[in-house]
Amino acid sequence: MDDLLKNLNEPQRLAVTTTEGPVLVIAGAGSGKTRAITYRVAYLIGAKRIPPRNILAVTFTNKAAEEMRNRIYKLLGVTELESWIGTFHATCARLLRREADRLGFTRDFAIYDESDQLLLIKHCMKKLSLPEREYNPHAILSRISLAKNKMLFPDAFREKAGDDFEATVGNIYKLYAEALRENNAMDFDDLLCNALLLLLQYPECSEKYRSFFRYVLVDEFQDTNRVQYELVRELAREHHNLCVVGDDDQSIYSWRGANVDNLFDLQKEFPEATVVFLEENYRSTQSILDAANAVIANNSKRKPKKLWTKNDRGKNVMWCSAPDEHSEARRIIGEIRRLRQENPEMGNSDFAVFYRTNAQSRVLEDEFRAAGITYVIVGNVRFYDRKEIKDTLAYLRVLANPADSVSLRRIINVPPRGIGKTTLERVGEFASDRRTALLEALGHASEIPQLRADARQSLLKFHEYISRLIRQKNDLSAADLVREVINTSGYAEMLTQDPSFEAQARIENLAELVSAAAETGEKLNDFSLDAFLQSVSLQSDVDGWDERMDAVTLMTLHMAKGLEFTAVFMAGMEEGLLPHANALLSEKSLEEERRLCYVGITRARKHLVFTSADVRRIRGEIEVNEPSRFLAEIPDELMDAEESVPDSRLVRDEHYQEMPDYEDGFRVGDIIEHSTFGTGVINTVSGSGESAKVGVRFYRDNKQRDIVVKYASLKRR
Ligand code: ATP
Ligand code: MG
């Protein structure tokens, strides 16, 4: 156990060994907060002989929980422990599995995810005869979720309702809560709320868990919401054996109800707490740390912190600006290759690329795939697997192939247009009786028996809509068709009505699909819908990567919390992306964007590269963005700025025409045409003259082939 303490600095040791009474660790990034929590659990078990099951340790993600568990096993030299290490949601679910009957649920209650929740909301709205056209189920759901996060239950919510909309939400909320009960189900918010209710309403239960969880530890406390705060407070109410760690500079989830004040409120709640400050950073080079400090110093509402390191100064941080987002992505790839060459010990998994919006991953994915570099996207679905993208592609598939009933079924009532399951069943029967395609059957709705008049009307209207698009499809480019579908199908409208963060992200993803269609047209010199759909199908076929492979990590900044990588790229360092356009108007949200930037910077151990694009497609339009203000906050002597040379694989567009053309032989990134293998992209170039060789990854089968230039008649596209 002495060995264990040897690996800690003085203040960390204090946080670990002060096992009785409250301990509050407030400290900057990479200062060993998570390490302190981890060692504290090990110390409680190893030195204080506390049974593992009596310790509750809460982490921010499941992955963090797993890592903590493994570290503790290693520290203690064991392979298994009956421990309570997990996220708030996982912990509450576990607790409720034991106690659910007190609240009128059985122990095998279901946990509903978002799609289940939406079905249920719609069901309730139907009962109340509320048309989905007027009340967006997504919007209703986020309203209810926010209420739950404040422990505002249906009756209280209805009493407080300020206007008609709120009153309606209140009515739906009431039915929704009843329906959950009828289904013996809880949604994600319920897991937290019900666990808290259990403690507040059943003193004997509260007593039981207060004495069971004799030690409570929470990581990343700056991003807890009110219910989570109350849970912690209740559990530690008597014994006060609480250790909470956090960094107010890293609070980045306020849009989801997190409240950084929790960190300081807790200090007031437990005034006797031992407050520990950690100031030594073990993660990053001095340059990276200086850059991080310089940026965060611009936030006015913060408690100043000292953060220093014994680590080397290291290299300056780097900023590469590229002409456009594809060059930006290729610049990142080039830099990864260069760093790997210079540092042979580095593998792909030492690299991470962070971005602000999910939509940015599309171009990165395309380029990584083309370059044959293995990557993993952490925490979100791949671009073409996202629901909104799949839905929109389903529309396009119906236009391309009116017989595609599977795609038609997918979107016939998305967004909702009053074509329910029964109606669809009857149309289906009619279609199979007549041996016609489903789409055609819609046009004969007036002949279909047993349909309600309004359903019949909806079917005819939808048939007319799709038919109109089909008539237009040959006159419009794929990009225009994508835009048309998004705007006229009601899909965009459905999302705009929903104020939630997710809906906002979905809108951005759809805009990115317009960009993808435009680019594919330019790349293939074929702007037709068929060409686009074909290229998309190929793309989703080639997800050849294996998660166990050595892969570069791609993730949003929000997902990067708590992690560290030897080399970090922060892409899209532009006004409008970071800080995000939505945050530009208020100082408060601007400061949260700056914290997000700080979180990104402080993930890097040795290498940090910012990248930006002079122009990029956003929502299908070419936009010229200024470099992020956060870059200007980093002193010149800490940062090397480099403009990258425009390469030959630029999107052909009037905005790019002044760019110089580089036609001196084949270059990495060139798209070429091979007489046998078809189109592909060059990702290695070697030798010269007679022996010049290029490595090409071909789109058709995603295979990498070495080609001797002399013997192949390669054409550049
Ligand atoms: P973040 O704010 O990003 O969550 P953190 O404060 O939780 O960071 P840790 O992740 O615990 O910091 O530690 C950062 C790195 O420094 C880790 O690689 C950790 O192993 C190392 N480290 C922390 N404390 C020490 C120490 N006393 N001696 C050596 N290495 C340490
Ligand atoms: Mg941490």
Side-chain angles (χ1 to χ4, degrees):
M1 269 311 107
D2 286 350
D3 271 1
L4 188 124
L5 296 179
K6 244 192 266 161
N7 293 325
L8 298 171
N9 63 27
E10 196 57 46
Q12 280 175 325
R13 217 171 291 147
L14 179 68
V16 168
T17 55
T18 312
T19 56
E20 311 304 301
V23 175
L24 195 62
V25 181
I26 304 179
S31 59
K33 296 183 295 299
T34 303
R35 187 184 180 104
I37 289 248
T38 310
Y39 276 62
R40 187 175 157 100
V41 175
Y43 183 80
L44 284 167
I45 298 169
K48 294 281 169 169
R49 303 281 157 214
I50 308 294
R53 64 171 182 282
N54 295 134
I55 303 168
L56 171 64
V58 185
T59 58
F60 200 71
T61 61
N62 292 317
K63 185 166 178 278
E66 198 184 308
E67 258 178 47
M68 184 175 289
R69 214 173 292 126
N70 290 334
R71 290 259 155 82
I72 293 169
Y73 291 172
K74 235 189 212 155
L75 289 171
L76 295 173
V78 298
T79 52
E80 222 183 71
L81 284 177
E82 190 207 337
S83 59
W84 284 74
I85 301 172
T87 62
F88 273 107
H89 286 97
T91 305
C92 290
R94 203 169 152 193
L95 206 139
L96 287 164
R97 289 262 175 246
R98 303 176 158 203
E99 309 289 342
D101 38 1
R102 290 180 198 260
L103 297 171
F105 295 84
T106 69
R107 292 175 186 210
D108 52 2
F109 64 87
I111 299 175
Y112 275 5
D113 69 10
E114 198 192 336
S115 60
D116 304 319
Q117 287 179 282
L118 278 171
L119 283 178
L120 206 55
I121 290 277
K122 288 177 188 170
H123 175 73
C124 299
M125 287 170 57
K126 217 168 177 182
K127 267 191 173 168
L128 293 168
S129 311
L130 295 168
E132 286 178 32
R133 263 167 267 115
E134 279 173 51
Y135 297 92
N136 179 343
H138 281 98
I140 308 266
L141 197 56
S142 17
R143 197 67 200 80
I144 292 176
S145 170
L146 227 54
K148 285 191 182 181
N149 280 323
K150 291 185 193 148
M151 295 293 276
L152 204 54
F153 297 114
D155 289 332
F157 185 92
R158 295 206 306 177
E159 263 170 42
K160 277 186 133 181
D163 53 32
D164 286 354
F165 178 72
E166 296 253 298
T168 309
V169 174
N171 293 338
I172 302 172
Y173 186 7
K174 191 165 171 69
L175 273 191
Y176 172 73
E178 284 166 9
L180 279 170
R181 259 175 197 286
E182 280 163 21
N183 287 299
N184 190 32
M186 299 188 197
D187 64 21
F188 266 63
D189 301 313
D190 288 339
L191 294 177
L192 303 179
C193 292
N194 286 340
L196 182 56
L197 272 186
L198 191 74
L199 299 183
L200 297 180
Q201 290 182 347
Y202 299 89
E204 72 280 14
C205 199
S206 172
E207 156 82 49
K208 175 169 142 194
Y209 286 101
R210 270 184 281 124
S211 51
F212 182 67
F213 295 128
R214 288 162 56 195
Y215 297 87
V216 178
L217 303 87
V218 190
D219 199 1
E220 305 273 6
F221 200 73
Q222 76 280 359
D223 273 325
T224 49
N225 65 25
R226 210 60 208 176
V227 178
Q228 291 164 339
Y229 177 92
E230 299 288 342
L231 274 168
V232 170
R233 183 172 73 156
E234 184 58 27
L235 286 174
R237 183 153 62 84
E238 239 151 62
H239 56 58
H240 289 200
N241 295 336
L242 179 65
C243 176
V244 155
V245 313
D247 177 4
D248 48 317
D249 286 334
Q250 294 187 66
S251 150
I252 53 175
Y253 278 96
S254 72
W255 51 273
R256 217 170 60 179
N259 185 358
V260 63
D261 292 337
N262 285 350
L263 201 54
F264 305 106
D265 288 354
L266 204 77
Q267 200 174 356
K268 285 177 215 146
E269 192 100 35
F270 298 98
E272 81 278 24
T274 306
V275 181
V276 177
F277 298 100
L278 305 176
E279 294 174 343
E280 177 167 3
N281 172 297
Y282 290 90
R283 180 180 294 148
S284 309
T285 62
Q286 187 69 54
S287 304
I288 291 169
L289 209 54
D290 287 349
N293 286 338
V295 170
I296 199 67
N298 292 281
N299 268 6
S300 61
K301 286 201 188 63
R302 68 182 286 260
K303 304 211 168 11
K305 281 191 207 82
K306 279 183 250 148
L307 204 54
W308 58 276
T309 183
K310 282 186 209 138
N311 291 342
D312 291 346
R313 239 199 79 71
K315 294 221 172 82
N316 268 4
V317 306
M318 212 164 132
W319 167 27
C320 303
S321 65
D324 63 73
E325 71 274 32
H326 280 276
S327 315
E328 177 191 38
R330 287 198 297 278
R331 188 61 217 264
I332 291 172
I333 288 165
E335 211 46 45
I336 290 176
R337 289 192 169 128
R338 190 182 65 77
L339 281 167
R340 286 198 61 175
Q341 229 157 35
E342 280 175 16
N343 308 279
E345 76 285 0
M346 284 175 85
N348 280 341
S349 58
D350 288 313
F351 295 87
V353 185
F354 303 148
Y355 37 85
R356 174 68 177 85
T357 61
N358 277 314
Q360 284 166 266
S361 77
R362 207 258 313 160
V363 170
L364 288 162
E365 279 182 74
D366 282 356
E367 293 295 342
F368 270 82
R369 200 167 26 229
I373 293 188
T374 320
Y375 66 90
V376 277
I377 296 212
V378 174
N380 74 46
V381 242
R382 296 184 332 125
F383 185 78
Y384 287 106
D385 290 343
R386 291 172 186 151
K387 181 183 183 308
E388 63 278 15
I389 301 298
K390 279 191 152 168
D391 287 346
T392 308
L393 288 174
Y395 275 95
L396 298 171
R397 293 214 161 93
V398 172
L399 304 187
N401 169 21
D404 183 348
S405 304
V406 172
S407 296
L408 182 61
R409 278 176 192 278
R410 183 177 174 103
I411 42 99
I412 195 161
N413 205 31
V414 179
R417 40 179 78 88
I419 304 177
K421 225 165 121 191
T422 329
T423 306
L424 193 54
E425 268 166 24
R426 297 212 168 114
V427 182
E429 281 162 19
F430 179 86
S432 64
D433 285 346
R434 295 264 185 118
R435 293 172 191 274
T436 66
L438 194 63
L439 180 65
E440 203 177 317
L442 302 186
H444 294 278
S446 36
E447 300 161 46
I448 304 175
Q450 289 179 302
L451 285 185
R452 292 213 329 252
D454 53 347
R456 200 164 274 158
Q457 212 47 43
S458 306
L459 290 172
L460 287 173
K461 213 172 132 198
F462 187 63
H463 180 259
E464 204 178 294
Y465 169 64
I466 295 289
S467 306
R468 173 173 73 76
L469 289 177
I470 291 177
R471 282 195 301 275
Q472 290 179 329
K473 76 172 173 189
N474 292 329
D475 299 323
L476 293 179
S477 70
D480 286 339
L481 274 170
V482 178
R483 196 181 284 121
E484 182 74 12
V485 163
I486 296 170
N487 291 336
T488 60
S489 64
Y491 212 100
E493 209 181 334
M494 170 176 80
L495 294 175
T496 348
Q497 280 173 9
D498 179 3
S500 74
F501 183 84
E502 285 79 7
Q504 179 65 35
R506 291 212 166 103
I507 293 173
E508 284 170 357
N509 288 336
L510 285 177
E512 193 59 24
L513 189 65
V514 180
S515 302
E519 270 172 31
T520 307
E522 282 158 356
K523 211 157 68 183
L524 304 177
N525 206 14
D526 181 346
F527 294 86
S528 69
L529 178 61
D530 290 350
F532 176 54
L533 287 179
Q534 156 117 358
S535 100
V536 169
S537 326
L538 283 179
Q539 291 211 3
S540 31
D541 284 339
V542 297
D543 54 338
W545 48 262
D546 178 337
E547 285 193 346
R548 286 161 306 176
M549 274 159 73
D550 184 33
V552 175
T553 303
L554 309 186
M555 56 167 68
T556 62
L557 281 163
H558 278 104
M559 297 295 306
K561 240 165 87 119
L563 304 179
E564 56 188 33
F565 297 89
T566 305
V568 164
F569 293 84
M570 289 175 67
M573 291 297 295
E574 295 147 37
E575 290 290 301
L577 275 178
L578 186 68
H580 193 272
N582 290 348
L584 296 176
L585 293 178
S586 107
E587 195 54 36
K588 211 171 137 209
S589 38
L590 211 55
E591 297 212 340
E592 181 141 326
E593 295 291 303
R594 191 176 277 111
R595 289 195 291 271
L596 201 49
C597 182
Y598 174 79
V599 167
I601 296 176
T602 52
R603 301 307 96 202
R605 290 201 194 102
K606 290 194 173 145
H607 307 276
L608 174 65
V609 182
F610 298 105
T611 60
S612 62
D614 300 340
V615 293
R616 78 167 66 231
R617 266 183 219 273
I618 296 184
R619 287 171 269 281
E621 303 290 330
I622 301 265
E623 286 195 7
V624 181
N625 286 334
E626 291 287 309
S628 167
R629 71 190 66 194
F630 303 142
L631 290 171
E633 292 170 0
I634 299 174
D636 287 349
E637 63 272 20
L638 290 178
M639 186 160 71
D640 297 334
E642 242 180 62
E643 245 174 77
S644 71
V645 183
D647 54 26
S648 58
R649 200 190 142 196
L650 291 174
V651 186
R652 265 173 236 112
D653 192 286
E654 59 200 70
H655 289 266
Y656 296 116
Q657 273 173 7
E658 314 105 47
M659 308 276 183
D661 219 8
Y662 286 79
E663 289 296 317
D664 49 347
F666 291 103
R667 301 163 57 97
V668 170
D670 281 356
I671 304 246
I672 52 89
E673 188 80 51
H674 185 280
S675 50
T676 314
F677 302 123
T679 315
V681 60
I682 295 182
N683 50 35
T684 61
V685 179
S686 57
S688 62
E690 295 277 289
S691 61
K693 253 185 8 187
V694 289
V696 182
R697 183 160 291 261
F698 288 94
Y699 288 165
R700 190 185 295 165
D701 55 5
N702 198 34
K703 288 238 165 68
Q704 174 80 21
R705 296 185 176 87
D706 280 335
I707 310 253
V708 180
V709 177
K710 189 183 154 200
Y711 299 119
S713 61
L714 295 182
K715 272 198 310 226
R716 193 186 275 108
R717 289 193 80 118

